[in-house]
């Protein structure tokens, strides 16, 4: 049988991202039983230690798919109503009329209207489009800060609403997923992290995936270099960072192999049932953190090439690290990519990120991985 994966093209595409300015990256692409794994660049710019495709990595908001799957599993048991008001479960966190108007579904698909707490937790940061007014000082100030999720949620709830409950386009907000973590704890009697581990990670058989017990990444991993739009030059390592600032919204550690396994099983209906999966793939327009309108389901979003079939998955960023995992609707073709630098784009005079060769090289890698 002819190999459907163009190994030479994939090797070249990964190397091109490194040559464009990414310190290191690694990936796994699957087409049925055929698997390609590749890496290029360094895990540590000081020592030259190379990246390898089996490294553990902070995968950021890819965590949201895991959290959404755990919530849907509780919906299947009847403990959570998908269209029930969050105030029924957490009246002290979202009180009054707002708690009655915002449903669990609205938290999952970012149509709650709740603001992002992040610029309040990290005061030197600002949300898009006010990037030019930001600075990276908070990142170092809060490296080892242990945040209380209820306090972060309270900040997001108290901030001016970014929309009416259920209105579209929704606005992407980590406040929604911290609330879902508290919801899981309320209905299961255990922490969201333990619930997600038991009901999703262990169910999927992911040996190298888990939530961090402290600020370090356990096992072989890369340093994570944060550039903050050129304001940190050279980029600074943030691989040691307390992840309580995002918790069950974006703190998961995984590998590219585990991510492909997870999304393959999820889209095959083996993590949640077929009706739950159908709900997860019902999308609404949402304003992303980059200010773009994207289609977003319940912890899942699609990517589609011209004339190509849809892929489903999620992307994620943390301070210094990023990942993207996408699986074709039929489950056959899969891609997971991890990079060890973030916010490499410098800003123009209006505060907009300028194009960078890394952007073009990553887009080319995604095209080869998904369609090549």
């Amino acid at each position: 049988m002819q190999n459907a994966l163009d190994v030479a093209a994939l090797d070249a595409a990964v190397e091109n991202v490194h040559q464009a300015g990414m310190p290191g990256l690694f990936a796994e692409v699957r087409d049925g039983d055929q698997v390609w794994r590749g890496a290029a660049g360094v895990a540590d710019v000081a020592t030259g230690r190379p990246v390898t495709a089996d490294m553990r990595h902070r995968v950021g908001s890819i965590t949201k798919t895991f959290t959404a799957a755990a919530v849907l599993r509780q919906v299947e048991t009847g403990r959570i109503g998908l269209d029930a008001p969050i105030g029924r479960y957490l009246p002290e966190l979202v009180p009054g009329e707002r708690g009655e108007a915002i449903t669990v579904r609205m938290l999952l698909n970012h149509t709650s209207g709740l603001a992002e707490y992040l610029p309040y937790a990290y005061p030197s940061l600002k949300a898009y489009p006010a990037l030019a007014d930001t600075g990276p000082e908070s990142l170092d100030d809060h490296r080892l800060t242990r945040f209380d999720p209820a306090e972060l949620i309270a900040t997001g709830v108290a901030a001016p609403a970014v929309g009416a409950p259920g209105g579209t386009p929704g606005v992407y907000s980590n406040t929604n997923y911290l609330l879902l973590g508290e919801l899981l704890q309320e209905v299961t009697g255990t922490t969201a992290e333990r619930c997600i581990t038991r009901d999703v990670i262990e169910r999927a058989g992911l040996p190298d995936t888990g939530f961090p017990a402290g600020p370090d990444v356990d096992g072989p991993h890369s340093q994570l270099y944060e550039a903050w739009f050129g304001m940190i030059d050279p980029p600074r390592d943030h691989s040691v960072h307390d992840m309580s600032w995002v918790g069950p919204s974006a703190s998961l550690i995984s590998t590219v192999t585990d991510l492909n396994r997870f999304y393959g099983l999820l889209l095959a209906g083996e993590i949640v049932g077929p009706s739950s999966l159908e709900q997860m793939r019902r999308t609404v327009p949402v304003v992303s953190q980059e200010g773009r309108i994207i289609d977003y389901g319940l912890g899942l979003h699609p990517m589609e090439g011209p004339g190509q079939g849809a892929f489903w998955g999620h992307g994620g960023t943390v301070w210094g690290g990023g990942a993207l995992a996408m699986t074709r609707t039929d489950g056959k073709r899969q891609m997971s990519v991890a990079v060890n630098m973030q916010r490499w784009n410098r800003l123009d005079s209006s505060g907009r990120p300028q194009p960078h060769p890394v952007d073009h090289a990553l887009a080319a890698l995604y095209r080869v991985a998904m369609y090549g």
Side-chain angles (χ1 to χ4, degrees), residues 39-54:
V42 297
D44 188 326
V45 298
T47 66
R49 175 171 59 93
V51 285
T52 57
D54 60 350

Side-chain angles (χ1 to χ4, degrees), residues 184-237:
L184 285 172
Q185 179 165 317
E186 177 68 22
V187 302
T188 66
T190 189
T191 65
E193 288 83 358
R194 287 197 202 100
C195 173
I196 296 163
T197 299
R198 178 194 68 208
D199 289 354
V200 180
I201 296 170
E202 291 176 357
R203 182 179 178 85
L206 309 178
D208 296 309
T209 299
F211 289 95
D216 298 286
V217 180
D218 293 334
H221 64 279
S222 174
Q223 312 306 106
L224 301 175
Y225 297 102
E226 180 58 53
W228 197 258
F229 307 106
M231 297 178 204
I232 307 176
D233 190 12
R236 192 173 302 134
D237 174 30

